[in-house]
């Protein structure tokens, strides 16, 4: 069973934090397929958050294929489908070239990160943004 | 709401019950000893108005002197209705409003009207029962005093027994409730209750002699025989007048016939033809006066309760 | 979407002073709404009017589409916890439960007992001997035992220590999850509310300044950070509907703006707004508001 934590000072929305924690737990093997997520009421009560927020998170996880809701029983982790990243090799090469060019021009690590963040912010809409972590 | 009122006031009810028991514990043995004294002093056969010097009269004075202290202390009983008003009436509304608990109880599915009606109704009933019991006790305890001539109808004795203590008590409680609705804090409400009660009692006391027209008794200063000390009635005033109506001062003067009067120094300076004029209300008027005064206070109480309802209707 | 609560031009005055004026708002069923504003803004007055504890001097209030006047039916569906959780201090908790059972038509003693047991509150202690946090929990349990459809709370956690505050909000959220109660709670501390509330009402000097779902409101506002410039230059930028707050420091200008589209201007760094920043910005700018209509206009300089 996963235990949620909330970073109250993070700019990241609450439901997004919940979604990320579930995805992280699945990735690290702390949640196995078939494991049940805590009931909405439990999460709302233990974190003192709006139950609709929990519902929203669970719904998004369901849409992403990470969990499935079984009426009357609960929400369960699904076996993950292997996600293929299209054009992974080509994109990786382009990125390495770009980083080398920037470093040659004298950019520091922080400068690179700042530029990447700005560019991503502009490119992604609010609801689809994920933290770079 | 009945349970609620009981739960809120049960401690108070206990205190008043204990107070009643204490007063009974004092007055009952005292009363019994007074009744015994009546027999011992041979007063059981002395009735009504008697001439001065009669052995009954002497025995009466003995009795009056022996039990003078309880008589004087009994005036404290006049404060009981005010105390009931202060401790049962003033906090009834004021305490709720001061502590904000009205915001709890008015959300419990009870309208303000029903809330006040039941609370005031039950507390008034309890206070009235208390006052009636105490009044009956005092009425019984007073009987020996009455036998020796201290009228129940006297200025202060009137207030302690009969119906009026119930009227005063109900008025005091209603005044406390209205004060609380006016000033939603307990101590100021108590202050208003004290002021209002004293004001009302004094005003009615001043008006009391005028409830009914007074009767007059005239009898001359110089005579063979005189009517004895007046008993059982409420003497308003007794003055001496000259034959042509001139006011010669207050007092009741009895003198032997003019011929023998030179020997009596108290009768010097008066003429035959001078007379005493006593203004009074006869004993038969006692219950009428009790009813009138009680009625006044009950009517005032009703008005105060209506005021309290009106005030609370728009209170937040 | 059904409406739990609706007010139209609602106003209340004490003497000649209007504590609340021209208050028009609606609250959908199932929301947990935050009522925020500085002290004296009229939050308590508004809650008293909705709870039926006060009568309006102007306008109307309807709860579940019914008027409140002499309407014991609908008032039975409203629960209220007043400021500082007033309780009868000489009553034990059990006495208060008896009071509730005797006076209310709808009363769930078991629910109250369960809630109190969950926070370890003994039933036989006079409430005067409980801590502030425990009294708040008792007041909440009493209000919830009525099984209300609308729950009103006036600064329920203002005088509580952080732990008691947390426990109170936990109990409240647990109840909302179980019963789907619509909640309206007032606070002048915004931080606590961000996690619990999904609807926002901002009262400023007795009027409604902001009204709407938290997600929608925050989605339609952004913080812009960029090189120092006058606000007049921003007005024309695509995506900026109105500037709510501006501050200048050295070579940097920070703006909080209401948007009506995406902002692509590279001169600005665009950031999300937290609920706290949002509320503070509007409270500092009494001319701004998110309501349509002639009485409110977007701020500009």
């Amino acid at each position: 069973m996963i235990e949620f934590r909330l970073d109250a000072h993070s700019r990241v929305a609450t439901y997004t934090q919940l979604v990320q924690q579930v995805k992280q737990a699945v990735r690290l093997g702390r949640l196995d397929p078939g494991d049940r997520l805590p009931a909405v009421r439990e999460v709302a009560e233990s974190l003192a958050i709006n139950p609709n927020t929990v519902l929203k998170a669970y719904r998004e996880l369901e849409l992403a294929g990470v969990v499935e809701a079984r009426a009357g029983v609960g929400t369960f982790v699904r076996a993950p489908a292997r996600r293929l990243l299209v054009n992974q090799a080509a994109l990786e090469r382009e990125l390495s070239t770009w980083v080398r060019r920037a470093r040659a021009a004298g950019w520091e690590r922080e400068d690179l990160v700042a530029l990447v963040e700005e560019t991503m912010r502009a490119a992604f809409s609010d609801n689809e943004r994920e933290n770079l972590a | 709401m009945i349970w609620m009122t009981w739960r809120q006031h049960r401690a108070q009810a206990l205190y008043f019950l204990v107070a009643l028991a204490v007063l009974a514990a004092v007055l009952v043995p005292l009363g019994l000893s007074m009744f015994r004294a009546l027999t011992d002093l041979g007063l059981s056969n002395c009735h009504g108005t008697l001439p001065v010097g009669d052995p009954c009269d002497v025995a009466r004075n003995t009795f009056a002197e022996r039990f003078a202290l309880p008589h004087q202390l009994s005036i404290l009983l006049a404060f009981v209705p005010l105390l009931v008003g202060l401790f049962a009436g003033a906090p009834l509304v004021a305490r709720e409003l001061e502590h904000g608990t009205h915001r709890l109880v008015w959300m419990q599915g009870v309208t303000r009207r029903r809330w006040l009606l039941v609370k005031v109704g039950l507390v008034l009933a309890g206070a009235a029962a208390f006052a009636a019991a105490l009044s009956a006790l005092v009425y019984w305890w007073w009987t020996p005093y009455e036998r020796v001539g201290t009228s129940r109808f006297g200025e202060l004795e009137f207030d302690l027994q009969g119906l009026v203590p119930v009227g005063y008590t109900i008025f005091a409680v209603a005044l406390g409730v209205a004060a609380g609705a006016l000033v939603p804090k307990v101590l100021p409400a108590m202050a208003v209750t004290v002021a209002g009660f004293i004001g009302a009692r004094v005003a009615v006391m001043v008006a009391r002699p005028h409830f009914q027209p007074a009767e007059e008794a005239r009898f001359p200063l110089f005579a063979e025989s005189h009517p004895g000390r007046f008993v059982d009635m409420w003497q308003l005033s007794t003055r001496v007048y000259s034959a042509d109506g001139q006011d010669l001062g207050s007092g009741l003067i009895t003198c032997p016939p003019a011929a023998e009067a030179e020997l009596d120094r108290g009768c010097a300076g008066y003429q035959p033809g001078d007379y005493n004029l006593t203004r009074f209300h006869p004993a038969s008027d006692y219950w009428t006066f009790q009813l009138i005064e009680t009625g006044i206070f009950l009517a005032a109480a009703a008005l105060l309760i209506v005021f309290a309802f009106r005030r609370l209707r728009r209170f937040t | 979407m059904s409406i739990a609560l609706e007010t139209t031009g609602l106003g209340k005055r004490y003497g000649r002073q209007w504590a609340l004026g021209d208050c028009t708002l609606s609250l959908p069923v199932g929301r947990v709404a935050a009522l925020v504003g500085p002290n004296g803004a009229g939050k308590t007055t508004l809650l008293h009017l909705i709870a039926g504890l006060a009568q309006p001097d102007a306008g109307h209030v309807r709860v579940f589409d019914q008027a409140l006047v002499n309407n014991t039916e609908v008032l039975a569906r409203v629960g209220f916890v007043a400021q500082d959780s007033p309780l009868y201090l000489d009553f034990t908790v059990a006495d208060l439960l008896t009071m509730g059972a005797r006076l209310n038509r709808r009363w769930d003693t078991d629910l109250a007992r369960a809630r109190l047991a969950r926070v370890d509150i003994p039933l036989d202690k006079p409430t005067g001997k409980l801590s502030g946090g425990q009294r708040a929990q008792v007041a909440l349990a009493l209000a919830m035992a009525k099984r209300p459809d609308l729950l009103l709370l006036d600064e329920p956690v203002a005088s509580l220590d952080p732990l008691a505050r947390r426990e109170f909000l936990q109990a409240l959220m647990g109840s909302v999850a179980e019963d789907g109660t619509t909640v309206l709670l007032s606070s002048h501390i915004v931080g606590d509310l961000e996690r619990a509330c999904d609807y926002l009402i901002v009262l400023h000097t007795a009027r409604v300044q902001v009204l709407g779902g938290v997600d929608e409101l925050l989605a339609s506002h952004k913080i812009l950070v960029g090189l120092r410039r006058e606000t007049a230059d921003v007005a024309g930028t695509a995506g900026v509907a109105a500037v709510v707050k501006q501050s200048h420091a050295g070579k940097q200008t920070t703006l909080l703006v209401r948007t009506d589209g995406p902002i692509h201007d590279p001169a600005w760094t665009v950031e999300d707004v937290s609920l706290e920043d949002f509320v503070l910005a509007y409270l500092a700018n009494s001319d701004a508001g998110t309501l349509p209509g002639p009485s409110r206009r977007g701020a500009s300089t």
Side-chain angles (χ1 to χ4, degrees):
Chain A
M1 185 76 100
I2 184 177
E3 197 176 305
F4 290 106
R5 315 165 320 274
L6 257 197
D7 183 358
H9 300 289
S10 162
R11 276 287 153 84
V12 178
T14 306
Y15 83 96
T16 308
Q17 290 186 40
L18 297 178
V19 167
Q20 284 166 9
Q21 283 174 40
V22 171
K23 288 186 175 171
Q24 184 93 321
V26 170
R27 226 177 283 143
L28 296 175
R30 279 191 270 125
L31 274 180
D32 294 319
D35 282 351
R36 204 185 71 115
L37 293 184
V40 172
R41 191 190 63 71
E42 275 176 61
V43 182
E45 188 157 341
S46 76
L47 294 179
I49 58 173
N50 195 307
N52 286 326
T53 310
V54 186
L55 278 171
K56 203 168 164 186
Y58 281 19
R59 227 176 292 133
E60 174 149 322
L61 286 166
E62 204 180 358
L63 285 172
V66 182
V67 303
E68 65 177 346
R70 285 181 226 157
V73 191
T75 311
F76 296 84
V77 179
R78 290 180 73 184
R82 296 271 332 271
R83 256 182 90 219
L84 289 169
L85 288 170
V86 183
N87 294 335
Q88 183 164 339
L91 286 166
E92 226 178 293
R93 248 175 308 161
E94 275 180 58
L95 187 59
S96 298
T97 312
W98 177 80
V99 169
R100 255 182 286 127
R101 274 176 56 205
R103 286 189 74 195
W107 285 46
E108 297 285 339
R109 190 196 183 87
E110 287 76 23
D111 304 322
L112 280 158
V113 172
L115 185 58
V116 170
E117 275 189 359
E118 288 252 356
T119 314
M120 293 199 55
R121 230 191 299 267
F124 283 83
S125 76
D126 299 351
N127 287 340
E128 290 165 3
R129 187 178 327 139
E130 274 193 345
N131 230 353
L132 291 176
Chain B
M1 195 57 219
I2 296 176
W3 176 88
M4 183 66 184
T5 309
W6 165 249
R7 176 59 188 84
Q8 277 189 285
H9 296 278
R10 68 181 185 195
Q12 252 170 22
L14 186 66
Y15 293 147
F16 280 114
L17 220 66
V18 166
L20 194 61
V22 165
L23 285 167
V26 167
L27 291 178
V28 168
L30 181 61
L32 290 173
S33 79
M34 281 163 66
F35 276 101
R36 243 191 324 252
L38 281 182
T39 336
D40 293 346
L41 289 171
L43 285 163
S44 354
N45 292 319
C46 301
H47 300 290
T49 304
L50 292 161
V52 179
D54 187 289
C56 271
D57 200 44
V58 175
R60 279 180 177 177
N61 288 334
T62 314
F63 181 94
E65 262 168 68
R66 192 187 301 182
F67 293 105
L69 186 63
H71 184 181
Q72 283 157 3
L73 289 177
S74 68
I75 192 164
L76 293 173
L77 290 170
F79 287 98
V80 171
L82 176 58
L83 290 174
V84 176
L86 280 182
F87 294 108
L92 194 117
V93 166
R95 196 145 170 259
E96 296 264 3
L97 300 183
E98 186 172 9
H99 291 197
T101 47
H102 61 294
R103 298 200 186 110
L104 173 65
V105 72
W106 290 349
M107 292 302 300
Q108 303 302 313
V110 54
T111 60
R112 292 182 203 199
R113 218 163 126 252
R114 193 167 135 241
W115 174 80
L116 192 65
L117 211 73
V118 175
K119 258 171 90 90
V120 170
L122 286 179
V123 170
L124 273 181
F130 171 81
L134 183 58
S135 175
L137 180 63
V138 174
Y139 192 91
W140 168 83
W141 169 68
W142 197 267
T143 315
Y145 284 116
E146 193 193 19
R147 291 267 184 82
V148 302
T150 312
S151 168
R152 292 186 204 273
F153 211 158
E155 205 95 82
L156 298 165
E157 291 79 7
F158 183 84
D159 302 5
L160 306 177
Q161 48 193 296
L163 290 176
V164 289
V166 179
Y168 300 154
T169 308
I170 290 179
F171 172 75
V173 173
L175 183 57
V177 171
L182 185 69
V183 204
K185 284 192 172 22
V186 177
L187 290 179
M190 283 182 165
V192 170
T193 307
V194 170
F197 186 82
I198 291 177
R201 286 276 277 115
V202 166
V204 173
M205 220 179 223
V206 165
R208 195 187 295 159
H210 307 286
F211 288 173
Q212 300 264 280
E215 295 194 6
E216 292 179 347
R218 276 170 213 247
F219 48 99
L221 261 66
F222 298 97
E224 280 287 343
S225 69
H226 303 275
R229 220 156 33 90
F230 287 102
V231 295
D232 289 350
M233 42 94 108
W234 182 16
Q235 185 174 291
L236 296 174
S237 67
T238 179
R239 301 183 81 82
V240 182
Y241 291 87
S242 68
D244 48 5
Q246 207 183 20
D247 189 324
L248 298 175
S250 74
L252 190 148
I253 300 175
T254 53
C255 302
E260 307 143 36
E262 292 108 32
L263 303 163
D264 197 328
R265 261 181 297 144
C267 297
Y270 291 104
Q271 310 294 327
D274 292 346
Y275 62 93
N276 292 293
L277 181 67
T278 304
R279 294 181 70 249
F280 68 101
H281 289 294
S284 51
D285 275 355
Y286 175 74
W287 286 108
T288 312
F289 273 63
Q290 283 269 329
L291 279 167
I292 293 176
E293 183 145 336
T294 307
I296 292 174
F297 280 98
L298 287 182
L303 288 174
L304 287 166
I305 299 292
V306 169
F307 168 79
F309 265 93
R310 289 251 173 88
R311 235 0 246 188
L312 280 177
R313 226 188 310 154
R314 300 253 337 162
F315 195 86
T316 303
Chain C
M1 176 187 61
S2 45
I3 302 288
L5 158 68
E6 186 171 28
T7 73
T8 325
L10 190 61
K12 173 120 195 106
R13 109 180 96 108
Y14 291 105
R16 263 188 298 174
Q17 180 95 339
W18 285 89
L20 187 70
D22 199 26
C23 174
T24 301
L25 59 87
S26 68
L27 176 61
V29 167
R31 302 290 196 136
V32 177
L35 178 62
V36 299
N39 289 328
K43 306 195 291 286
T44 299
T45 307
L46 176 59
L47 290 172
H48 285 176
L49 286 164
I50 302 168
L53 286 174
Q55 280 74 44
D57 293 312
H60 312 282
V61 52
R62 293 179 78 80
V63 173
F64 299 115
D65 204 33
Q66 296 182 51
L68 295 177
V69 183
N70 289 331
N71 190 343
T72 46
E73 304 261 335
V74 80
L75 286 172
R77 296 168 67 186
V78 178
F80 178 52
V81 179
Q83 212 161 10
D84 297 326
S85 313
L87 297 173
Y88 291 103
L89 297 178
D90 55 333
F91 277 36
T92 62
V93 181
D95 285 332
L96 288 171
L97 292 180
T98 312
M99 171 191 79
R102 293 222 176 206
L103 295 179
N104 288 291
R105 239 171 294 167
R106 207 163 42 159
W107 186 259
D108 191 342
T109 310
D110 294 326
L111 175 74
R113 283 176 191 269
R115 296 230 127 269
L116 293 166
R118 224 179 293 189
V119 282
D120 291 320
I121 291 183
L123 295 181
D124 56 357
K125 247 186 165 177
T127 58
K129 298 229 171 91
L130 298 175
S131 71
Q134 288 177 312
R135 282 207 289 273
Q137 291 282 5
V138 171
L140 180 63
L142 289 175
M144 298 297 320
K146 254 180 98 175
R147 289 298 193 140
D149 296 317
L150 173 63
L151 180 61
L152 309 168
L153 304 156
D154 192 353
E155 308 242 7
V157 293
S159 54
L160 302 184
D161 62 79
L163 180 62
R165 212 184 289 167
R166 188 51 132 57
E167 289 177 334
F168 185 91
L169 288 173
Q170 282 176 312
L172 182 62
M173 289 299 105
S175 289
V176 171
E178 262 173 23
D179 302 316
T181 318
T182 310
V183 176
L184 174 59
L185 74 106
S186 78
S187 177
H188 61 281
I189 311 167
V190 185
D192 284 336
L193 305 178
E194 190 149 3
R195 295 141 71 116
C197 300
D198 56 3
Y199 206 80
L200 180 67
I201 304 168
V202 178
L203 267 190
H204 195 8
T205 52
R207 288 175 190 278
V208 177
Q209 191 186 21
V210 172
L211 179 69
V214 168
D215 288 343
E216 291 88 20
L217 288 171
L218 294 185
S220 64
H221 289 70
K222 291 278 179 277
I223 290 184
L224 303 182
V225 184
L227 289 176
R228 188 177 186 132
R229 65 185 67 197
E230 294 314 308
T231 325
D233 298 340
V234 188
T237 309
V240 174
V243 175
V244 181
K245 180 177 171 213
Q246 53 178 303
S247 59
H248 309 279
K251 293 221 185 81
Q252 187 174 289
T253 290
T254 308
L255 303 172
L256 196 151
V257 301
R258 182 160 53 88
T259 63
D260 51 17
I263 297 175
H264 295 305
D265 191 337
W268 296 106
T269 304
V270 181
E271 289 174 5
D272 284 336
V273 184
S274 72
L275 185 60
E276 187 152 14
D277 290 337
F278 177 91
V279 172
L280 290 175
Y282 272 95
L283 286 180
N285 183 351
S286 54
D287 288 329
T290 65
L291 303 180
S295 59
R296 288 266 158 267
R297 50 181 220 285
S300 57
T301 38

